[in-house]
């Protein structure tokens, strides 16, 4: 059965922490920032906040895994797995949570090109995609057109997902799943590899 295009962002696969929080750290999100979905790579901005990542070689801050904020419409504190981009007063700061442990690994879907065993240990960029406002899940995926040795790309492919065999996404070819690690995160020293 062929894999289907159903990107879900960068989902925690392993790390040095333990469930349910793994290596989550609190960060600030500006009240007027664009929507950020669970599994989106995020970047630091010049004001000390994090924003949804734009693909490139800029050092990323981590992967977004949720937030809490004082909702204007609901008149209570809301815990959410995505930041909708509004619903707080202009004086409020949103508390977001990201995973930025340099040892963390993530499961992500590739695009139409897919990945092969030859791509393991190559560096790669991401594509943001469209998040799902009903579930809060990201639409980000691995951009296989960027596979290479550029050491400033944000992720490195460390494996292909093959468990359980034959499951959707584990087959070779388009839209298969890969395991990636941070290659260019602000908590990791760049070594030029």
């Amino acid at each position: 059965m062929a894999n289907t295009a159903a990107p879900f962002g960068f989902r925690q696969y392993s790390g040095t922490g333990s469930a349910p929080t793994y290596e989550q750290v609190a960060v600030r999100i500006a009240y007027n920032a664009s929507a950020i979905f669970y599994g989106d790579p995020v970047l630091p901005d010049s004001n000390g906040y994090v924003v949804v990542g734009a693909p490139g070689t800029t050092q990323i801050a981590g992967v977004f895994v949720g937030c809490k904020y004082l909702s204007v419409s609901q008149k209570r504190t809301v815990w959410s797995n995505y930041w909708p981009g509004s619903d707080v007063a202009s004086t409020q700061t949103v508390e977001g949570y990201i995973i930025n442990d340099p040892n963390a690994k993530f499961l992500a879907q590739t695009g139409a090109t897919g990945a092969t065993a030859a791509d393991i240990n190559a560096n790669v960029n991401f594509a943001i995609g469209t998040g799902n406002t009903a579930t809060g899940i990201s639409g980000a995926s691995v951009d296989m057109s960027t596979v290479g040795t550029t050491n400033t790309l944000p992720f490195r492919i460390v494996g292909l997902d093959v468990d359980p065999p034959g499951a959707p996404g584990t087959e070779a070819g388009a839209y298969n799943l890969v395991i990636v690690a941070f290659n260019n995160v602000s908590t990791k020293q760049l070594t030029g590899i």
Side-chain angles (χ1 to χ4, degrees), residues 150-177:
T150 305
N151 71 339
T152 53
L153 289 172
F155 294 100
R156 173 171 288 189
I157 297 173
V158 295
L160 303 177
D161 183 40
V162 294
D163 191 34
T170 62
E171 315 224 1
Y175 310 115
N176 62 340
L177 304 180

Side-chain angles (χ1 to χ4, degrees), residues 55-57 111 113-114 119 122-127 141-157 183:
T57 57
T113 306
D119 296 320
N123 300 328
V124 70
N125 214 329
F126 60 90
S141 62
V142 172
D143 182 357
M144 293 303 295
S145 70
T146 64
V147 169
T149 58
T150 305
N151 71 339
T152 53
L153 289 172
F155 294 100
R156 173 171 288 189
I157 297 173
N183 184 56

Side-chain angles (χ1 to χ4, degrees), residues 14-38:
S14 69
T16 54
S18 60
T21 58
Y22 289 99
E23 298 86 13
Q24 290 182 23
V25 295
V27 293
R28 298 180 325 147
I29 302 170
Y31 76 95
N32 59 352
S34 298
I36 308 173
F37 292 86
Y38 187 99

Side-chain angles (χ1 to χ4, degrees), residues 17-192:
S18 60
T21 58
Y22 289 99
E23 298 86 13
Q24 290 182 23
V25 295
V27 293
R28 298 180 325 147
I29 302 170
Y31 76 95
N32 59 352
S34 298
I36 308 173
F37 292 86
Y38 187 99
D40 276 348
V42 292
L43 302 173
D45 76 1
S46 60
N47 298 314
Y49 297 104
V50 296
V51 296
V52 66
T57 57
T58 303
Q59 201 168 41
I60 63 173
V63 172
F64 184 81
V65 291
C67 64
K68 78 171 182 177
Y69 58 93
L70 182 58
S71 168
V72 171
S73 64
Q74 298 180 42
K75 311 242 185 293
R76 65 179 178 86
T77 299
V78 172
W79 292 82
S80 176
N81 62 347
Y82 87 105
W83 164 241
S86 61
D87 197 23
V88 295
S90 62
T91 58
Q92 297 293 313
T93 298
V94 179
E95 183 173 318
Y97 303 99
I98 64 170
I99 296 171
N100 66 355
D101 181 344
N103 298 312
K105 292 186 177 84
F106 301 90
L107 186 66
Q109 187 173 50
T110 65
T113 306
T116 67
D119 296 320
I120 294 174
N121 292 321
N123 300 328
V124 70
N125 214 329
F126 60 90
I128 283 295
T130 303
N132 184 325
T133 57
T135 64
I137 303 297
S138 170
S141 62
V142 172
D143 182 357
M144 293 303 295
S145 70
T146 64
V147 169
T149 58
T150 305
N151 71 339
T152 53
L153 289 172
F155 294 100
R156 173 171 288 189
I157 297 173
V158 295
L160 303 177
D161 183 40
V162 294
D163 191 34
T170 62
E171 315 224 1
Y175 310 115
N176 62 340
L177 304 180
V178 293
I179 301 161
V180 299
F182 286 126
N183 184 56
N184 182 9
V185 68
S186 58
T187 55
K188 185 174 188 172
Q189 294 294 324
L190 292 178
T191 59

